[in-house]
């Protein structure tokens, strides 16, 4: 199950501007409810598709930002959170509605927030047959109404715009062309293991703990297997019994170690010897002792976060240094982006907290799961955030989280970094060595 790096396109605007009409035009089906009733869209409506000139995309239809009432406030909060996670913000403006109301607060909010968050803003003027006649009474022209709306754009020269009647499905191609022109530069997906050569073998160490679902491997394991095969890299898969490996009995643990070294030795016969061992982070204590020093070693979690973070792990490498300054009075947040029920030896809720507790007795450890993540204000109370590999969240979502953390000035690291840190500075620098992160 490979993860697809999708271009995320969000549709924003005031209520009744025609946002859902645009959603349906882009998806060529009744994805969102369209109605003359203001406030029809409440939650974010998300649709994934493949558009010929754009590749894989996720399109988000959002609620109008100007609905009064408490419910309207909740809708606005969700829509603005979505704005933080898009690559392109399509702002739908009905110039007639805007001109007649003489209010541009919503458009101003979207434009300034997009500029602040570094989002590409593209304006779609919805020239509707059902509202433009209202302009007649004012004596103004559609061009004048549009010019009025442009006055709130922070970067008028570089903001691209389209004028179309969004209810005309035949205009699909021109709207798609417009979206393609809005696509920001430099969105090239990062290879999973960019430093590998195609000939020498890689050993993947997968301990399959009690939480591993029967019938499939975890996403990072499947993704790396697919990547390695595609790259023509010979792959060896190995499962150690961690309970035996860590047992107090040296007889049992040595027997387990010998079996592993025998397998590794066989792979070493391949061209150039084993170029890398990738392990589940939770087994780094065992692997860092068993894998001979000359063979590079890293973890799936580090591999994943490198890709999700767009190939730049410097923030996580900097953040792990905060572990050196933790005390019993510290407060740590463990953020896990995937939703699964947590049993016995869960890394996020059991393993990392108990290692922290052992070193810093009384330390406070909180958790956030799935799509939940604290706001900048809530983050301020933390001394460190330890994030999972992020294989279930998009690059855009991670980057929005990083923005919140930067706002709160809280260091961020990840499971692979943290579990390696517990094993000491040499192990930490060893797992980072293949990535050339210090
Ligand atoms: N003729 C015409 N009608 C349109 C056009 N765009 C929207 N409408 C109508 O305007 C009304 C609101 O359209 P929606 O697409 O639901 O607007 P919205 O921005 O999603 O509205 P909310 O979800 O309520 O915020 C519906 O009755 C649509 O049929 C258009 O381009 N032409
Ligand atoms: Mg709508």
């Amino acid at each position: 199950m490979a993860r697809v790096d999708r271009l995320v396109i969000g549709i924003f605007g005031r209520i009744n501007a025609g946002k859902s009409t645009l959603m349906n035009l882009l998806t060529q089906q009744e994805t969102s409810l369209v109605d003359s009733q203001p406030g029809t869209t409440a939650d974010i409506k998300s649709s994934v598709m493949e558009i010929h000139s754009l590749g894989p995309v996720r399109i988000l239809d959002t609620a109008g930002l100007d609905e009064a009432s408490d419910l309207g406030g909740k809708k606005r909060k969700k829509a603005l959170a979505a704005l933080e996670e898009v690559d392109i913000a399509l702002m739908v403006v009905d110039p007639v509605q805007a001109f007649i109301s003489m209010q541009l607060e919503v458009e101003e909010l979207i434009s300034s927030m997009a500029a602040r968050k570094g989002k590409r803003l593209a304006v779609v003027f919805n020239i509707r047959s059902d509202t433009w006649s209202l302009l007649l009474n004012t004596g103004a022209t559609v061009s004048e109404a549009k010019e009025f709306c442009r006055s709130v754009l922070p970067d008028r020269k570089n903001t691209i715009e389209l004028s179309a009647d969004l209810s005309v499905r035949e205009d699909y191609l021109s709207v798609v062309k417009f979206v393609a022109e809005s696509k920001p530069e430099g969105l090239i997906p990062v290879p999973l293991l960019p430093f590998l050569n195609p000939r020498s073998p890689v050993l993947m160490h997968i301990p399959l703990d009690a939480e591993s679902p029967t019938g499939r491997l975890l996403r990072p394991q499947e993704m790396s297997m697919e990547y390695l095969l595609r790259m023509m890299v010979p792959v060896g898969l190995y499962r150690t019994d961690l309970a035996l490996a860590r047992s107090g009995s040296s007889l049992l643990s040595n027997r387990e170690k010998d079996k592993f070294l025998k397998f590794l030795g066989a792979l070493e016969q391949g061209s150039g010897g084993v170029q890398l061992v990738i392990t589940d982070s939770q087994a780094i204590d065992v692997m860092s002792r068993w894998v001979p020093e000359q063979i590079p070693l890293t973890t799936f979690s580090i591999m994943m976060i490198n890709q999700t973070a767009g190939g730049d792990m410097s923030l996580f490498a900097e953040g792990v240094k905060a572990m050196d300054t933790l005390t019993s009075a510290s407060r740590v947040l463990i953020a896990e982006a995937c939703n699964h029920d947590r049993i016995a030896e869960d890394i996020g809720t059991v393993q990392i907290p108990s290692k922290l507790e052992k070193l810093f007795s009384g330390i406070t450890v909180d958790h956030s799961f799935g799509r939940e993540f604290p706001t900048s204000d809530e983050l301020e109370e933390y001394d460190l955030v330890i994030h999972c590999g992020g294989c279930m969240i998009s690059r855009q979502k991670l980057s929005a989280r990083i923005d919140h953390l930067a706002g709160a000035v809280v260091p961020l690291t990840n499971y692979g970094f943290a579990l390696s840190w517990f094993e000491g500075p040499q192990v930490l620098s060893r797992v980072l060595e293949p990535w050339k992160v210090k």
Side-chain angles (χ1 to χ4, degrees), residues 15-21 36 39-41 126 128-129 165-167:
I15 40 181
N16 251 334
K19 301 178 297 300
S20 300
T21 305
S36 55
T40 302
T41 307
N126 191 5
R128 325 163 34 154
S129 52
D165 182 340
L166 298 178
S167 64

Side-chain angles (χ1 to χ4, degrees), residues 85-98:
E85 292 172 20
V86 301
D87 296 307
I88 304 172
L90 294 179
M91 177 163 80
V92 180
V93 184
D94 174 350
V96 175
Q97 273 187 24

Side-chain angles (χ1 to χ4, degrees), residues 32 107 113 153 160 169 174 224 255 323 327 341 433:
S32 289
E107 290 74 15
M113 193 163 158
L153 300 175
I160 86 168
R169 289 275 175 104
S174 58
S224 36
R255 197 184 290 161
M323 292 188 74
T327 67
D341 60 338
E433 170 58 32

Side-chain angles (χ1 to χ4, degrees), residues 168-355:
V168 180
R169 289 275 175 104
E170 290 70 32
D171 281 356
Y172 171 72
L173 286 179
S174 58
V175 176
V176 164
K177 185 166 168 277
F178 172 72
V179 177
E181 282 163 8
S182 321
K183 186 176 172 176
E185 303 286 311
L187 292 177
I188 303 156
V190 173
L192 208 51
L193 293 154
F195 47 80
L196 292 185
N197 72 62
R199 288 169 304 278
S200 314
V202 167
L203 187 151
M204 291 173 53
H205 177 250
I206 304 172
L208 287 185
D209 62 12
E211 281 196 330
S212 297
T214 309
R216 64 185 169 88
L217 293 175
L218 300 180
R219 208 173 201 187
Q221 298 156 356
E222 288 186 353
M223 284 172 68
S224 36
M225 222 181 295
E226 188 271 346
Y227 177 82
L228 294 170
L229 293 174
R230 196 168 292 282
M231 294 274 296
M232 306 295 278
V233 173
V235 191
L237 301 179
Y238 195 85
R239 179 186 180 193
T240 299
D241 185 327
L242 287 179
L244 291 180
R246 293 179 184 135
S247 73
S249 152
S250 56
L251 180 75
L252 291 177
S253 61
N254 282 337
R255 197 184 290 161
E256 207 49 29
K257 179 179 175 182
D258 289 346
K259 279 198 273 179
F260 171 77
L261 289 180
K262 211 162 158 196
F263 184 80
L264 186 67
L267 268 192
E268 276 279 79
Q269 305 306 312
S271 151
V274 172
Q275 60 173 323
L276 181 71
V277 174
I278 319 173
T279 179
D280 265 19
S281 302
Q282 58 171 314
I284 194 64
D285 57 330
V286 174
M287 286 296 114
S288 59
R289 282 186 283 114
W290 289 4
V291 177
E293 278 301 322
Q294 73 277 12
I295 300 181
L297 172 68
T298 198
T299 82
F300 287 112
S301 181
I302 291 174
M303 171 194 81
M304 246 8 281
I305 205 73
N306 180 65
Q307 194 188 49
T308 316
D312 181 4
M313 288 195 287
S314 50
L315 195 74
F316 295 85
E318 195 51 42
V320 77
K321 293 180 188 158
M323 292 188 74
D324 297 333
T325 59
L326 291 178
T327 67
S328 329
S330 304
R331 193 176 194 103
V332 173
L333 176 73
I334 297 184
E336 181 145 322
C338 74
N339 277 319
H340 61 85
D341 60 338
R342 286 153 181 95
I343 53 176
E345 287 301 293
D346 183 62
I347 300 184
T349 52
V350 181
Q351 294 192 31
I352 296 178
S354 61
K355 282 175 192 284

